[in-house]
């Protein structure tokens, strides 16, 4: 899938347009815009030079095949999105 919008978001982060070092995308519409990938579940953490997309088992294979320039993580049963996002933010 096309990563033009991801690059545009990263450029905006780098330029200080958002006033934050990262953007967390949670709504299905905005995840689609950022990644080009449609799903009813997931979160997308974007920094100026990296990107992490977290989703559940229903979308993991399609996300890995379709989202470019992004680390894909599958949320496991019993995990919380907030914990995975916090871990990814610390790494990035």
């Amino acid at each position: 899938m096309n990563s033009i919008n991801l690059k545009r978001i990263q450029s905006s982060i780098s330029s200080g347009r958002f006033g934050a070092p990262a953007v967390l995308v949670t709504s299905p519409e905005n995840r689609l815009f950022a990644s080009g990938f449609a799903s009813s579940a997931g979160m997308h953490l974007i920094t100026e030079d990296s990107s992490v997309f977290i989703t559940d088992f229903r979308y993991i294979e399609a996300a890995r095949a379709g989202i470019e320039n992004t680390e894909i993580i599958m949320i496991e049963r019993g995990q919380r999105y907030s914990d995975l996002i916090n871990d990814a933010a610390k790494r990035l």
Side-chain angles (χ1 to χ4, degrees):
M1 293 196 177
N2 196 332
S3 61
I4 291 173
N5 289 338
L6 175 60
K7 296 294 182 197
R8 290 170 68 194
I9 294 167
Q10 289 175 317
S11 177
S12 293
I13 293 168
S14 181
S15 72
R17 181 172 178 211
F18 293 126
V23 173
L24 179 60
V25 182
T26 58
S27 76
E29 299 82 8
N30 290 333
R31 285 194 316 271
L32 175 60
F33 176 83
S35 68
F37 183 74
S39 65
S40 64
M43 290 190 170
H44 195 168
L45 180 65
I46 303 168
T47 69
E48 66 181 279
D49 58 4
S50 33
S51 174
V52 175
F53 191 95
I54 302 169
T55 193
D56 65 29
F57 71 96
R58 297 172 296 162
Y59 298 105
I60 194 67
E61 293 303 320
R64 287 180 176 150
I67 302 174
E68 298 174 351
N69 304 312
T70 299
E71 177 185 359
I72 309 298
I73 298 173
M74 184 174 79
I75 190 167
E76 301 286 344
R77 184 175 299 244
Q79 290 182 311
R80 297 182 317 186
Y81 276 99
S82 60
D83 292 337
L84 294 174
I85 288 295
N86 286 334
D87 290 345
K90 289 175 188 174
R91 282 189 294 112
L92 304 178

Coordinates of all heavy atoms in Angstrom, one line a residue:
M1 N 0.8 -1.2 0.0 CA 0.0 0.0 0.0 C 0.9 1.2 0.0 O 2.0 1.2 0.4 CB -0.9 0.0 1.2 CG -2.0 -1.1 1.1 SD -3.3 -0.8 2.3 CE -4.3 -2.2 1.9
N2 N 0.3 2.3 -0.4 CA 1.0 3.5 -0.5 C 1.4 4.2 0.8 O 0.5 4.2 1.7 CB 0.1 4.5 -1.4 CG 0.9 5.7 -1.9 OD1 1.9 6.1 -1.3 ND2 0.5 6.2 -3.0
S3 N 2.6 4.6 1.0 CA 3.0 5.2 2.2 C 3.2 6.7 2.1 O 3.9 7.3 3.0 CB 4.3 4.5 2.7 OG 5.4 4.7 1.8
I4 N 2.6 7.3 1.1 CA 2.8 8.8 0.9 C 2.2 9.5 2.1 O 2.9 10.4 2.6 CB 2.1 9.2 -0.4 CG1 2.9 8.7 -1.6 CG2 2.0 10.8 -0.4 CD1 2.2 9.0 -2.9
N5 N 1.1 9.2 2.6 CA 0.5 9.9 3.7 C 1.3 9.7 5.0 O 1.4 10.6 5.8 CB -1.0 9.5 3.9 CG -1.9 10.0 2.9 OD1 -1.6 11.0 2.2 ND2 -3.0 9.4 2.7
L6 N 1.8 8.5 5.2 CA 2.7 8.2 6.3 C 3.9 9.2 6.3 O 4.2 9.8 7.3 CB 3.2 6.8 6.4 CG 4.2 6.4 7.5 CD1 3.6 6.7 8.8 CD2 4.7 5.0 7.3
K7 N 4.5 9.3 5.1 CA 5.7 10.2 5.0 C 5.3 11.7 5.2 O 6.0 12.4 5.8 CB 6.3 10.1 3.6 CG 6.9 8.7 3.3 CD 8.0 8.4 4.2 CE 8.6 7.1 3.9 NZ 9.5 6.6 5.0
R8 N 4.1 12.0 4.8 CA 3.6 13.4 5.1 C 3.4 13.7 6.5 O 3.7 14.7 7.1 CB 2.3 13.7 4.3 CG 2.6 13.7 2.8 CD 1.3 13.7 2.0 NE 0.5 14.9 2.2 CZ -0.7 15.1 1.8 NH1 -1.4 14.1 1.3 NH2 -1.3 16.2 2.0
I9 N 2.9 12.7 7.3 CA 2.7 12.8 8.7 C 4.0 12.9 9.4 O 4.2 13.8 10.3 CB 1.8 11.6 9.2 CG1 0.4 11.7 8.7 CG2 1.8 11.6 10.8 CD1 -0.4 10.4 8.9
Q10 N 4.9 12.1 9.0 CA 6.3 12.1 9.6 C 7.0 13.4 9.3 O 7.6 13.9 10.2 CB 7.1 10.9 9.1 CG 6.6 9.6 9.6 CD 7.4 8.4 9.1 OE1 7.6 8.3 7.9 NE2 7.7 7.5 10.0
S11 N 6.8 14.0 8.2 CA 7.4 15.3 7.8 C 6.8 16.4 8.7 O 7.5 17.3 9.2 CB 7.2 15.6 6.4 OG 7.7 16.9 6.1
S12 N 5.5 16.3 9.0 CA 4.8 17.2 9.8 C 5.3 17.1 11.3 O 5.5 18.1 12.0 CB 3.3 17.1 9.8 OG 2.8 17.4 8.5
I13 N 5.5 15.9 11.7 CA 6.1 15.7 13.1 C 7.5 16.3 13.2 O 7.8 17.1 14.1 CB 6.1 14.2 13.5 CG1 4.7 13.7 13.6 CG2 6.9 14.0 14.8 CD1 4.6 12.2 13.7
S14 N 8.3 16.0 12.2 CA 9.7 16.5 12.1 C 9.7 18.1 12.1 O 10.6 18.7 12.8 CB 10.4 16.0 10.9 OG 11.7 16.4 10.8
S15 N 8.8 18.7 11.4 CA 8.8 20.1 11.3 C 8.2 20.8 12.5 O 8.3 22.1 12.6 CB 8.0 20.6 10.1 OG 6.6 20.4 10.3
G16 N 7.7 20.1 13.4 CA 7.1 20.6 14.6 C 5.6 21.1 14.5 O 5.0 21.7 15.4
R17 N 5.0 20.7 13.4 CA 3.7 21.2 13.1 C 2.7 20.6 14.1 O 1.7 21.3 14.5 CB 3.2 20.7 11.7 CG 1.9 21.1 11.3 CD 1.6 20.7 9.9 NE 0.2 21.1 9.6 CZ -0.5 20.5 8.7 NH1 0.0 19.5 8.0 NH2 -1.8 20.8 8.5
F18 N 2.9 19.4 14.6 CA 2.0 18.8 15.6 C 2.4 19.2 17.0 O 1.6 19.0 18.0 CB 2.0 17.3 15.5 CG 1.3 16.8 14.2 CD1 2.0 16.0 13.4 CD2 0.1 17.2 13.9 CE1 1.4 15.5 12.2 CE2 -0.5 16.8 12.7 CZ 0.2 15.9 11.9
G19 N 3.6 19.7 17.2 CA 4.0 20.1 18.6 C 4.2 18.9 19.5 O 4.1 19.1 20.7
A20 N 4.5 17.8 18.9 CA 4.7 16.6 19.7 C 5.7 15.7 19.0 O 5.7 15.7 17.7 CB 3.4 15.8 19.9
P21 N 6.4 14.8 19.7 CA 7.3 13.9 19.0 C 6.7 12.7 18.3 O 7.4 11.9 17.6 CB 8.2 13.5 20.1 CG 7.4 13.5 21.3 CD 6.5 14.7 21.1
A22 N 5.4 12.5 18.5 CA 4.7 11.4 17.9 C 3.2 11.6 17.8 O 2.7 12.5 18.5 CB 4.9 10.1 18.8
V23 N 2.6 10.9 17.0 CA 1.1 10.9 16.8 C 0.6 9.5 17.0 O 1.1 8.6 16.4 CB 0.8 11.4 15.3 CG1 -0.7 11.4 15.1 CG2 1.3 12.9 15.1
L24 N -0.5 9.4 17.7 CA -1.2 8.2 17.9 C -2.5 8.2 17.2 O -3.4 9.1 17.5 CB -1.4 7.9 19.4 CG -2.2 6.6 19.7 CD1 -1.4 5.4 19.2 CD2 -2.4 6.5 21.2
V25 N -2.6 7.3 16.2 CA -3.8 7.3 15.4 C -4.7 6.2 15.8 O -4.3 5.0 15.8 CB -3.4 7.2 13.9 CG1 -4.6 7.2 13.0 CG2 -2.4 8.2 13.5
T26 N -6.0 6.5 16.2 CA -6.8 5.5 16.7 C -8.1 5.2 15.9 O -8.6 4.1 15.9 CB -7.2 5.8 18.2 OG1 -7.9 7.1 18.2 CG2 -6.0 5.9 19.1
S27 N -8.6 6.2 15.3 CA -9.9 6.0 14.6 C -9.7 5.2 13.3 O -8.6 5.3 12.6 CB -10.6 7.3 14.2 OG -9.9 8.0 13.2
P28 N -10.6 4.4 12.9 CA -10.5 3.6 11.6 C -10.2 4.5 10.4 O -9.4 4.2 9.5 CB -11.8 2.9 11.5 CG -12.3 2.8 12.9 CD -11.9 4.0 13.6
E29 N -10.9 5.7 10.3 CA -10.7 6.5 9.2 C -9.3 7.1 9.1 O -8.7 7.2 8.0 CB -11.7 7.7 9.2 CG -13.2 7.3 9.2 CD -13.7 6.8 10.5 OE1 -13.1 7.0 11.6 OE2 -14.9 6.3 10.5
N30 N -8.8 7.5 10.3 CA -7.4 8.1 10.3 C -6.3 7.0 10.1 O -5.3 7.3 9.5 CB -7.2 8.9 11.6 CG -8.0 10.2 11.6 OD1 -8.4 10.7 10.5 ND2 -8.4 10.7 12.7
R31 N -6.6 5.8 10.6 CA -5.6 4.7 10.4 C -5.6 4.4 8.9 O -4.5 4.2 8.3 CB -6.0 3.5 11.2 CG -5.7 3.5 12.6 CD -5.8 2.2 13.3 NE -6.9 1.4 12.9 CZ -8.1 1.4 13.5 NH1 -8.3 2.2 14.6 NH2 -9.1 0.6 13.1
L32 N -6.7 4.4 8.2 CA -6.7 4.2 6.8 C -6.0 5.3 6.1 O -5.2 5.0 5.2 CB -8.2 4.2 6.3 CG -8.4 4.0 4.8 CD1 -7.7 2.8 4.2 CD2 -9.9 4.1 4.4
F33 N -6.2 6.5 6.5 CA -5.4 7.6 5.8 C -3.9 7.5 6.0 O -3.1 7.6 5.1 CB -5.9 9.0 6.4 CG -5.1 10.2 5.9 CD1 -5.4 10.7 4.7 CD2 -4.1 10.7 6.6 CE1 -4.7 11.8 4.2 CE2 -3.3 11.7 6.1 CZ -3.7 12.3 4.9
A34 N -3.5 7.2 7.3 CA -2.1 7.1 7.6 C -1.4 5.9 7.0 O -0.2 6.0 6.5 CB -1.9 7.1 9.1
S35 N -2.1 4.8 6.9 CA -1.4 3.5 6.5 C -1.9 3.0 5.2 O -1.2 2.1 4.6 CB -1.6 2.4 7.6 OG -3.0 2.1 7.6
G36 N -3.1 3.4 4.7 CA -3.6 2.8 3.5 C -4.3 1.5 3.8 O -4.7 0.8 2.9
F37 N -4.5 1.1 5.1 CA -5.0 -0.2 5.5 C -6.3 0.0 6.3 O -6.3 0.7 7.3 CB -3.9 -0.9 6.3 CG -4.3 -2.3 6.7 CD1 -4.3 -3.3 5.8 CD2 -4.7 -2.6 8.0 CE1 -4.7 -4.6 6.2 CE2 -5.1 -3.8 8.4 CZ -5.1 -4.9 7.5
A38 N -7.3 -0.6 5.8 CA -8.6 -0.5 6.5 C -8.8 -1.7 7.5 O -8.6 -2.8 7.2 CB -9.7 -0.6 5.4
S39 N -9.2 -1.3 8.7 CA -9.4 -2.3 9.8 C -10.3 -1.7 10.8 O -10.3 -0.5 11.0 CB -8.1 -2.8 10.4 OG -7.5 -1.7 11.1
S40 N -11.1 -2.5 11.5 CA -12.0 -2.0 12.5 C -11.2 -2.0 13.9 O -11.8 -1.5 14.9 CB -13.2 -2.9 12.6 OG -12.9 -4.2 13.0
A41 N -10.0 -2.6 14.0 CA -9.3 -2.7 15.2 C -7.9 -2.3 15.0 O -7.3 -2.6 14.0 CB -9.4 -4.1 15.8
G42 N -7.3 -1.5 15.9 CA -5.9 -1.2 15.8 C -5.6 0.2 16.3 O -6.4 1.0 16.5
M43 N -4.3 0.4 16.4 CA -3.7 1.7 16.7 C -2.4 1.9 15.9 O -1.7 0.9 15.7 CB -3.4 1.9 18.2 CG -4.6 1.9 19.1 SD -4.1 2.4 20.8 CE -5.7 2.7 21.5
H44 N -2.1 3.1 15.6 CA -0.9 3.4 14.7 C -0.1 4.5 15.4 O -0.6 5.6 15.5 CB -1.4 3.8 13.3 CG -0.3 3.8 12.3 ND1 -0.6 3.9 11.0 CD2 1.0 3.7 12.4 CE1 0.5 3.8 10.3 NE2 1.5 3.7 11.1
L45 N 1.1 4.2 15.9 CA 1.9 5.1 16.5 C 3.0 5.6 15.5 O 3.7 4.7 14.9 CB 2.7 4.5 17.7 CG 3.6 5.5 18.5 CD1 2.9 6.6 19.1 CD2 4.4 4.7 19.5
I46 N 3.1 6.9 15.2 CA 4.0 7.4 14.2 C 4.9 8.4 14.8 O 4.4 9.4 15.5 CB 3.1 8.1 13.1 CG1 2.1 7.1 12.5 CG2 4.1 8.6 12.0 CD1 1.1 7.7 11.6
T47 N 6.2 8.3 14.6 CA 7.2 9.3 15.0 C 7.8 9.8 13.7 O 7.5 9.3 12.6 CB 8.3 8.7 15.9 OG1 9.1 7.8 15.1 CG2 7.7 8.0 17.1
E48 N 8.7 10.7 13.8 CA 9.3 11.3 12.6 C 10.1 10.3 11.7 O 10.2 10.5 10.5 CB 10.2 12.5 12.9 CG 11.4 12.2 13.7 CD 12.2 13.5 14.0 OE1 12.9 14.0 13.1 OE2 12.0 14.0 15.1
D49 N 10.6 9.2 12.4 CA 11.3 8.3 11.6 C 10.9 6.8 11.7 O 11.6 5.9 11.3 CB 12.8 8.4 11.9 CG 13.2 8.3 13.3 OD1 12.3 7.9 14.1 OD2 14.3 8.5 13.7
S50 N 9.8 6.6 12.4 CA 9.3 5.2 12.6 C 7.8 5.1 12.7 O 7.2 6.2 12.9 CB 10.0 4.5 13.7 OG 10.3 5.3 14.8
S51 N 7.3 3.9 12.6 CA 5.9 3.7 12.6 C 5.6 2.3 13.1 O 6.3 1.3 12.7 CB 5.4 3.9 11.2 OG 4.0 3.6 11.1
V52 N 4.6 2.2 14.0 CA 4.2 0.9 14.6 C 2.7 0.8 14.5 O 2.0 1.7 14.9 CB 4.6 0.8 16.1 CG1 4.1 -0.5 16.7 CG2 6.1 0.9 16.2
F53 N 2.2 -0.3 13.9 CA 0.8 -0.5 13.8 C 0.5 -1.8 14.6 O 1.1 -2.8 14.4 CB 0.5 -0.8 12.3 CG -1.0 -0.8 12.0 CD1 -1.6 0.3 11.5 CD2 -1.7 -2.0 12.1 CE1 -3.0 0.3 11.2 CE2 -3.1 -2.0 11.8 CZ -3.7 -0.9 11.4
I54 N -0.4 -1.6 15.5 CA -0.8 -2.7 16.4 C -2.3 -3.1 16.1 O -3.2 -2.3 16.0 CB -0.7 -2.3 17.9 CG1 0.7 -1.9 18.2 CG2 -1.2 -3.5 18.8 CD1 0.8 -1.2 19.5
T55 N -2.5 -4.4 15.8 CA -3.8 -4.9 15.5 C -4.0 -6.3 16.1 O -3.1 -6.9 16.6 CB -4.1 -4.8 14.0 OG1 -5.5 -5.0 13.8 CG2 -3.3 -5.8 13.2
D56 N -5.2 -6.8 15.9 CA -5.5 -8.2 16.5 C -5.4 -9.2 15.4 O -5.0 -8.9 14.2 CB -6.9 -8.2 17.1 CG -8.0 -8.0 16.2 OD1 -7.9 -8.3 15.0 OD2 -9.1 -7.5 16.6
F57 N -5.6 -10.5 15.8 CA -5.4 -11.6 14.9 C -6.1 -11.6 13.6 O -5.7 -12.2 12.6 CB -5.7 -12.9 15.7 CG -7.1 -13.1 15.9 CD1 -7.9 -13.9 15.1 CD2 -7.8 -12.5 17.0 CE1 -9.3 -14.1 15.3 CE2 -9.1 -12.7 17.2 CZ -9.9 -13.5 16.4
R58 N -7.3 -10.9 13.6 CA -8.1 -10.9 12.4 C -7.4 -10.2 11.2 O -7.6 -10.5 10.1 CB -9.4 -10.2 12.6 CG -10.3 -10.9 13.7 CD -11.5 -10.1 14.0 NE -11.1 -8.9 14.7 CZ -11.8 -7.8 14.8 NH1 -13.1 -7.8 14.3 NH2 -11.4 -6.7 15.4
Y59 N -6.5 -9.2 11.5 CA -5.9 -8.4 10.5 C -4.4 -8.5 10.4 O -3.8 -7.9 9.5 CB -6.2 -6.9 10.8 CG -7.7 -6.6 10.8 CD1 -8.4 -6.4 12.0 CD2 -8.4 -6.5 9.6 CE1 -9.7 -6.1 12.0 CE2 -9.7 -6.2 9.6 CZ -10.4 -6.0 10.8 OH -11.7 -5.7 10.8
I60 N -3.8 -9.4 11.2 CA -2.3 -9.4 11.3 C -1.7 -9.7 10.0 O -0.7 -9.1 9.5 CB -1.8 -10.2 12.5 CG1 -0.4 -9.9 12.8 CG2 -2.1 -11.7 12.2 CD1 -0.1 -8.6 13.3
E61 N -2.1 -10.8 9.3 CA -1.5 -11.2 8.1 C -1.6 -10.1 7.0 O -0.7 -9.8 6.3 CB -2.0 -12.5 7.6 CG -1.6 -13.7 8.5 CD -0.1 -13.8 8.7 OE1 0.6 -13.7 7.7 OE2 0.3 -14.1 9.9
A62 N -2.8 -9.6 6.8 CA -3.1 -8.6 5.8 C -2.3 -7.3 6.1 O -1.8 -6.7 5.2 CB -4.6 -8.3 5.7
A63 N -2.2 -7.0 7.4 CA -1.4 -5.8 7.8 C 0.1 -6.0 7.5 O 0.7 -5.1 6.9 CB -1.6 -5.5 9.3
R64 N 0.6 -7.1 7.8 CA 2.0 -7.4 7.5 C 2.3 -7.4 6.0 O 3.3 -6.9 5.5 CB 2.4 -8.7 8.0 CG 2.6 -8.7 9.5 CD 3.0 -10.0 10.1 NE 3.2 -9.9 11.6 CZ 3.0 -10.9 12.4 NH1 2.6 -12.1 12.0 NH2 3.2 -10.7 13.7
A65 N 1.3 -7.8 5.2 CA 1.5 -7.8 3.7 C 1.2 -6.5 3.1 O 1.8 -6.2 2.0 CB 0.5 -8.9 3.1
G66 N 0.4 -5.6 3.8 CA -0.1 -4.4 3.1 C 0.5 -3.1 3.6 O 0.4 -2.1 2.9
I67 N 1.0 -3.1 4.8 CA 1.5 -1.8 5.3 C 3.0 -1.7 5.1 O 3.7 -2.5 5.7 CB 1.1 -1.6 6.8 CG1 -0.4 -1.7 7.0 CG2 1.5 -0.2 7.3 CD1 -0.9 -1.7 8.4
E68 N 3.4 -0.6 4.4 CA 4.8 -0.4 4.2 C 5.5 0.4 5.2 O 4.9 1.2 5.9 CB 5.0 0.3 2.8 CG 4.4 -0.4 1.6 CD 4.5 0.4 0.4 OE1 4.8 1.6 0.4 OE2 4.2 -0.2 -0.7
N69 N 6.8 0.2 5.4 CA 7.6 1.0 6.3 C 7.1 1.1 7.7 O 7.2 2.2 8.3 CB 7.8 2.4 5.7 CG 8.3 2.3 4.3 OD1 9.3 1.6 4.0 ND2 7.7 3.1 3.4
T70 N 6.5 0.0 8.2 CA 5.9 0.0 9.5 C 6.1 -1.3 10.2 O 6.0 -2.3 9.6 CB 4.4 0.3 9.4 OG1 4.2 1.6 8.8 CG2 3.7 0.3 10.7
E71 N 6.5 -1.2 11.5 CA 6.5 -2.4 12.3 C 5.1 -2.8 12.6 O 4.3 -2.0 13.1 CB 7.3 -2.2 13.6 CG 7.4 -3.3 14.5 CD 8.0 -3.0 15.9 OE1 8.5 -1.8 16.1 OE2 8.1 -3.9 16.7
I72 N 4.8 -4.1 12.5 CA 3.4 -4.6 12.7 C 3.5 -5.5 14.0 O 4.3 -6.4 14.0 CB 2.9 -5.4 11.5 CG1 3.0 -4.6 10.2 CG2 1.4 -5.9 11.8 CD1 2.2 -3.4 10.2
I73 N 2.6 -5.2 14.9 CA 2.6 -6.0 16.2 C 1.1 -6.5 16.4 O 0.2 -5.8 16.2 CB 2.9 -5.1 17.4 CG1 4.4 -4.6 17.2 CG2 2.7 -5.9 18.7 CD1 4.8 -3.6 18.3
M74 N 1.1 -7.8 16.7 CA -0.3 -8.4 17.0 C -0.5 -8.4 18.5 O 0.3 -8.8 19.3 CB -0.3 -9.8 16.5 CG -1.7 -10.4 16.8 SD -1.9 -12.1 16.0 CE -1.1 -13.1 17.3
I75 N -1.7 -7.8 18.9 CA -2.1 -7.8 20.3 C -2.6 -9.2 20.6 O -3.3 -9.8 19.9 CB -3.1 -6.7 20.6 CG1 -3.4 -6.6 22.1 CG2 -4.4 -7.0 19.8 CD1 -4.2 -5.4 22.5
E76 N -2.1 -9.7 21.7 CA -2.5 -11.1 22.2 C -3.6 -11.0 23.2 O -3.8 -10.0 23.8 CB -1.2 -11.8 22.8 CG 0.0 -11.9 21.9 CD -0.2 -13.0 20.9 OE1 -1.1 -13.8 21.0 OE2 0.6 -12.9 19.9
R77 N -4.3 -12.1 23.4 CA -5.3 -12.2 24.4 C -4.8 -11.8 25.7 O -3.7 -12.3 26.1 CB -5.9 -13.6 24.4 CG -7.1 -13.8 25.3 CD -7.6 -15.2 25.2 NE -8.1 -15.3 23.8 CZ -9.4 -15.5 23.5 NH1 -10.3 -15.6 24.4 NH2 -9.7 -15.7 22.2
G78 N -5.5 -11.0 26.4 CA -5.1 -10.5 27.7 C -4.2 -9.3 27.7 O -3.9 -8.7 28.8
Q79 N -3.7 -8.9 26.6 CA -2.9 -7.7 26.5 C -3.8 -6.5 26.3 O -4.9 -6.6 25.8 CB -1.9 -7.7 25.3 CG -0.7 -8.7 25.5 CD 0.2 -8.7 24.4 OE1 -0.2 -8.7 23.2 NE2 1.5 -8.5 24.7
R80 N -3.3 -5.3 26.6 CA -4.0 -4.1 26.4 C -3.3 -3.2 25.3 O -2.0 -3.2 25.4 CB -4.2 -3.3 27.7 CG -5.0 -4.0 28.7 CD -5.1 -3.3 30.0 NE -3.9 -2.6 30.4 CZ -3.8 -1.9 31.5 NH1 -4.8 -1.8 32.4 NH2 -2.6 -1.3 31.8
Y81 N -4.0 -2.6 24.5 CA -3.4 -1.7 23.5 C -2.5 -0.6 24.2 O -1.4 -0.3 23.7 CB -4.5 -1.0 22.7 CG -5.0 -1.8 21.5 CD1 -6.2 -2.5 21.6 CD2 -4.3 -1.8 20.3 CE1 -6.7 -3.2 20.5 CE2 -4.8 -2.6 19.2 CZ -6.0 -3.3 19.3 OH -6.4 -4.0 18.3
S82 N -3.0 -0.1 25.3 CA -2.2 1.0 26.0 C -0.9 0.5 26.4 O 0.1 1.2 26.3 CB -3.0 1.5 27.2 OG -3.3 0.5 28.1
D83 N -0.8 -0.8 26.8 CA 0.6 -1.3 27.3 C 1.5 -1.5 26.1 O 2.7 -1.1 26.1 CB 0.4 -2.7 28.0 CG -0.3 -2.5 29.3 OD1 -0.3 -1.4 29.9 OD2 -0.9 -3.5 29.7
L84 N 1.0 -1.9 24.9 CA 1.8 -2.1 23.7 C 2.2 -0.8 23.2 O 3.3 -0.6 22.7 CB 1.0 -2.9 22.7 CG 0.7 -4.4 23.1 CD1 -0.1 -5.0 22.0 CD2 2.0 -5.1 23.3
I85 N 1.3 0.2 23.2 CA 1.7 1.6 22.7 C 2.7 2.2 23.6 O 3.7 2.7 23.1 CB 0.4 2.5 22.7 CG1 -0.5 2.0 21.5 CG2 0.8 3.9 22.5 CD1 0.1 2.2 20.1
N86 N 2.6 2.0 24.9 CA 3.6 2.6 25.8 C 5.0 1.9 25.6 O 6.0 2.6 25.6 CB 3.1 2.4 27.3 CG 2.1 3.4 27.7 OD1 1.9 4.4 27.1 ND2 1.3 3.0 28.6
D87 N 5.0 0.6 25.4 CA 6.2 -0.1 25.1 C 6.9 0.4 23.8 O 8.1 0.6 23.8 CB 6.0 -1.6 25.1 CG 5.7 -2.2 26.4 OD1 5.9 -1.6 27.5 OD2 5.2 -3.4 26.4
A88 N 6.0 0.5 22.8 CA 6.6 1.0 21.5 C 7.1 2.4 21.6 O 8.1 2.8 21.1 CB 5.5 0.9 20.4
A89 N 6.4 3.3 22.3 CA 6.8 4.7 22.5 C 8.1 4.8 23.2 O 9.0 5.6 22.9 CB 5.7 5.5 23.3
K90 N 8.3 3.9 24.2 CA 9.6 3.9 24.9 C 10.7 3.5 24.0 O 11.8 4.1 24.1 CB 9.5 3.0 26.1 CG 8.7 3.5 27.3 CD 8.5 2.5 28.4 CE 7.5 2.9 29.4 NZ 7.2 1.9 30.4
R91 N 10.5 2.5 23.2 CA 11.5 2.1 22.2 C 11.9 3.1 21.2 O 13.0 3.2 20.8 CB 11.1 0.8 21.5 CG 11.2 -0.5 22.3 CD 10.9 -1.7 21.4 NE 9.5 -1.7 20.9 CZ 9.2 -1.6 19.6 NH1 10.1 -1.4 18.7 NH2 7.9 -1.7 19.3
L92 N 10.9 3.8 20.8 CA 11.1 4.8 19.7 C 11.6 6.1 20.2 O 12.1 6.9 19.5 CB 9.8 5.0 18.9 CG 9.1 3.8 18.3 CD1 7.8 4.1 17.6 CD2 10.1 3.1 17.3

